[in-house]
Structures are given as structure tokens and as C-alpha cells.
Amino acid sequence: MTRRAAVILFGVFLSAALLPAVLPPADLVDLAAAATPAAAPPAADLIVTNARVFTGERSRPECAAVAIIGDRIVATGTKAEVDVWRGPATRIIDAGGRRVVPGFNDAHVHFVAGGMDLDNIDLKDAASPEEMVRRIASRVRTLPRGEWLLGGNWDDQQWNPVRMPDRTLIDPVTGDVPVFLSRYDGHMALANSVAIRLAGVTAKTPDPPGGVIVHDAAGEPNGLFKDAALSLVAKVIPPFSHEQRLRAARRALGHAASLGVTSVQDMNPEYGDIAAYTELFERGELTTRIYAAPAQADWQDQAKIGLRHAFGSPWLRLGAIKGYADGSLGSTTAYFFEPYTDTPGTRGLLSDEMQPLEAERERMIKADAAGLQLCVHAIGDRGISMILDLFADVVKANGERDRRFRIEHAQHMAAKDFNRFASLHVIASMQPYHAIDDGRWAAKRIGPDRIKRTYAFRTFLDHGVRLAFGTDWSVAPLDPMQSIYAAATRATLDGKNPGGWVPEQKITVKEAVEAYTLGSAYAEFQEKDKGSIAPGKLADMVILSDDIFSIDPRAIRDVKVVTTLVGGRVVYESGAPAAR
Ligand SMILES: [Zn+2]
């Protein structure tokens, strides 16, 4: 029997036999014997053994070994139970007694943008202007011709003495490469002379409203641009080429593999990004599975060729769209019922998509009728409430169906809306890392009452709402350990809330892992294929350096990935330390 035939045959057994989710291998042997003359199951391609596997399956939550044929899991069980799948050519991975979990599925990333960030220069820890210049010089040498040097994050406050950089600092090392590097706060950026010339900015260019072009003693632009003036330069940066997108996607894929992220759900990709994924898929280079949700405004593009939710292959799917209800808490544009506590003049802003509301309602109803999955960014309590209203209108117009509405972020809930969230079966697609980041200042911004329902993981679960976890990378780190740590401890990044910020909203490590695996898989209609370690499912799993279920949750952020498997293939291996 060829391996392929074996996989197909066992696929048939398994789908027939999946009712008890985990079959004892003895039964499989019987099935195999009944179906073929062979007395033993076909040899596994790979066995992961000597492991502490968190399966995510209620019927058998823990096991010690997993057998894989092709890209699918064929058996889980004790070491002895799985050993019957061992053949002469079976590769064995001895997990050294370590914890194994299902591959992480990040339900909200900006994948190519994240890869671009990895590729861009990062100057945050450049301790002096000389160090900054040295790094810029070395990056300029490796940059493909015609590309801009972007990125930055420079921080003049850590230089001694503190001084503002200007173009004369970097011009000598940048040659004819245009350079535009933002300050770490994003409110200022430094251009070199080439970039200033390309932007057409001269001594005579007036400051735009809300922005400043900084000048030198001779009255010439010195390279620093503030706030709205940033766009004078940003607008002449050419759109990314296909090659740049491929490079960024490859960087992102490598980063994801090293962190145990085996699936991502890519929010608002540009179509050029999807073209890059398609090419990487064709070349066999995808090592993370991607579900892409382009902008809601362009919903007709997918609808007119009949793409419905989760259409595609296990590697690349389409059929979702991503809309916006409001802005963010940090910029006081998240839309609330009541004014901001620290800025009483505003309740935030509805996005332009929401104005007029009738147009948004019509778009959502039509996109839903076309079978597309609706994912909507909503952060403020009123923004969320209005999206729930619209979801209810969609159901009324198109009837009940398993459509899996999603609210992305779902940060600040009105007390009255938890039940509605549950009864409309809306998925809360949340990013726990934001909670420990915003948690440093959110109470000042929205006051002591609203803060109780902020990143309300516990209340959502208690109401039976499904959570899907992710990061919003590159807004927050892609590392799932940071997010699980955040959900389980709610210890803010400034160290001021070691017992947890709004501690009653903490959830357990197990609940956080479930939201990050099965929860995210459900949010992309893939819970039958992903999200747990069970026969028949894709062999996406991660060996961790430490057992996140038994160590102090505060130590989870230091846990590393030892091995990442996607579809039964090792896509990442750390220089694995000796087993503990
Ligand atoms: Zn986002």
C-alpha cells in the first residue's frame, strides 16, 4: 500500500470512527485487519512521544504520544498505544517529557505589515547618535536598489546628552537611498536629504495644519517632520512591490514558526499581500496557515466570484471581510455611550463606514447574504452595541444560519450587551496583550465603572460567549506566551498591578490556551480540522520549553517554543536544551 493510499484509507476509517473522538489503537488495528489483509496499521511518518500532550479534547484531555501520517494525526494515546504505528521509516521526536499543545492560531494579525516591521530597522535601543548612524549605514548597504529605508523607533531621550537628530547626522552614510525613520512615539520622523527632495519639501513649504516642518539655522528643512507634516514625506513612498511583500511574508512566516503560531487570521490584507501568499503556497513555502479578511468596503470583489466564508485550502482561505465601527482607546476615538473621563468633550468617533448607518446595514446584509463572514472592529461600548444592532438586523433580513459573526477587539462592553453578544452567537476576537498594555492608563481615560467591563474575558466566558485570541501583531508582539500570560495574570506592563488589573476578569491558563487554539479555529470555521490534537485533525502542534499548566502563570512569558510542527512537518526547532 502506498503511503498516500494508507492515508486515504485511514482517513475513511477515521471519519467513520470519529464519534468516540479518540479510538484506542487496538480498535484501529481491528479496523485495519478487517479492511485489509495487513495485521497492523500503516506505519506513521512521524511519532511524537514521551510528551505531556494537552489535546484540547474533552474525551481525552491528556496523552503521551501522537502518530502522524502525511499532514494529519492518526492516533493519540499512551506511548505503548501509539507505538503500534511505528514502522522502520517512522521518524521519532522524543519530546523529553515536555508539554505539547495544539498549534496556536492568532485570530487577528496584520501579517505582511508585521513582516515589514521585522525587515525595517529598529533603533529603539540605539544608545547614542553614533550607534544609530552605524546601524543605518549597515542596513543601507544590504537594502535592494530603489527601496526606501523605513522603520526607526529612535529614542533621543536615552542619549547622553539628549539631542534631536537631523539630516546632517545621517546624510553622510545614506548616499542616494531615501530614508524616513520615525521616532518611537510615532509623532515625529527623520528624513534624509534625498527623501526631503523626493517629497518636494523646500524652505518655502508651509507647515500643514496640525504639523510642523522643522528648519535649521539657515531656514532649510532639517529633516524632522512632526505629526501631520509626516504625510508630506509618507505620501511619496512608493507602494510595496511584489518582491517586498514576498520578503515581508517570508519574514513573518519564520517569526510565526519560531513562536508556535501555526495559523493566522490576517485582517485587512491588501490584495497584493494575498498574491504573495498565493505564490508562497504554490512554492510550498507557507509554514503558517492563513485566513485572509480583506476590507469590508471591497466586499463585492469576493462576492462577485462566489467566494464564501472559509473558502480555500488548509493553507490559504478567503471569504471573510473586515469592517470598522470606531477608532481606538489610545487616540480617544473608540466610540462610547458616555464621554471620556479624562476628555469630557468627546465620546469618540464612529468610522466613516458607519456613516450613514443605513449604508453600513445594507452592505452587511448583502455581504452576509453572499455567504461572507463579517468581522468588525469595535472597541468602545457604543460602537460594539451598534454593531450588535446591525448583526441583529442581518439575522432578521437573511434568517438564522451558522454565520459566526465576529467583533474584533470587543474591548469595552456595556453591561446590557453580554447577553445579546451570546444570543447572537457573536465571537469575541480579543487580544489579551492590549489589556496589560492599555491597563497602565485605561482607568484614567474611562473611569472606575467602565473599567470593570474592559477586556472582560471572564464575563464573556460566563455568558457562554466564544473567545478567539490573537495579538493584532504588529501592534502587539506575536508571541502567544505573552498573551496567555496577559490573560491569566492581567499584570500590567508597568509592574503596578502584580495581582492583576481588574483581577476578576482573569481566566485560567487552560481557558486562554483554548481561546487561542480551538476558539480561534472556530472563529474561522476550522474547528473540525484544527485547534486540538485528535485523530483526523491537521498535525499542527508545538513543544514548549516548560509546562505552562503547572508553572507559576507569571513565568509563562519566559516560556519558549522548542519545536513547531505544521501539517506533520517540523517548521521550527530551537537549539533544544536538554530535557527536564
Ligand atoms: Zn488590527
Side-chain angles (χ1 to χ4, degrees), residues 108-110 267-268 322 324 377 408-409 431 434 471-475:
H108 187 126
V109 297
H110 303 283
M267 295 290 142
N268 305 101
K322 161 82 186 315
Y324 283 91
H377 163 122
E408 304 299 317
H409 312 305
Q431 301 78 37
H434 290 339
T471 58
D472 208 3
W473 185 58
S474 62
V475 180

Side-chain angles (χ1 to χ4, degrees), residues 33-72:
T36 73
D45 295 318
L46 172 68
I47 287 177
V48 178
T49 191
N50 191 20
R52 292 155 86 179
V53 181
F54 169 80
T55 65
E57 292 284 309
R58 296 206 192 285
S59 57
R60 191 169 195 171
E62 292 277 336
C63 71
V66 182
I68 295 157
I69 294 180
D71 64 351
R72 300 266 168 181

